[in-house]
Amino acid sequence: DAVPYGEFLWALNTVSSRHLVLHDHQMDSDPNLLLMMMPLLDLLNHSPQPNVAIRPYVDRTEGESFLVLQALRDIQPDE
């Protein structure tokens, strides 16, 4: 069955606005790091002075990749 055009646009916009793309230079070390969906991650760092960085981490012993949320400074309650 064909998907109605409006539903297709909704899905495309939802994915487009919520995916995370890491820099191309990281593709050489792990091609799985390039494009991913991370629920709720799109809600972070909507500030001119962000307090959290998203950093890739590769565990070479286990052969797995992760994203690490790292505080850039002390974060106060309710901030």
Side-chain angles (χ1 to χ4, degrees):
D1 291 334
V3 175
Y5 186 67
E7 289 182 26
F8 168 77
L9 287 179
W10 172 84
L12 178 65
N13 287 319
T14 299
V15 170
S16 296
S17 67
R18 288 175 172 80
H19 74 276
L20 177 67
V21 178
L22 297 178
H23 298 288
D24 289 338
H25 70 273
Q26 294 162 331
M27 186 171 87
D28 294 336
S29 62
D30 188 347
N32 296 318
L33 285 175
L34 285 183
L35 179 64
M36 60 197 79
M37 296 288 293
M38 299 294 295
L40 302 177
L41 197 60
D42 59 315
L43 299 176
L44 297 176
N45 281 339
H46 286 81
S47 168
Q49 294 84 32
N51 57 17
V52 174
I54 303 165
R55 305 198 189 280
Y57 172 77
V58 178
D59 182 342
R60 298 196 190 287
T61 304
E62 298 295 325
E64 298 177 334
S65 301
F66 302 93
L67 288 180
V68 176
L69 299 179
Q70 180 181 4
L72 299 174
R73 58 179 174 76
D74 290 339
I75 301 172
Q76 302 304 312
D78 297 322
E79 183 179 355

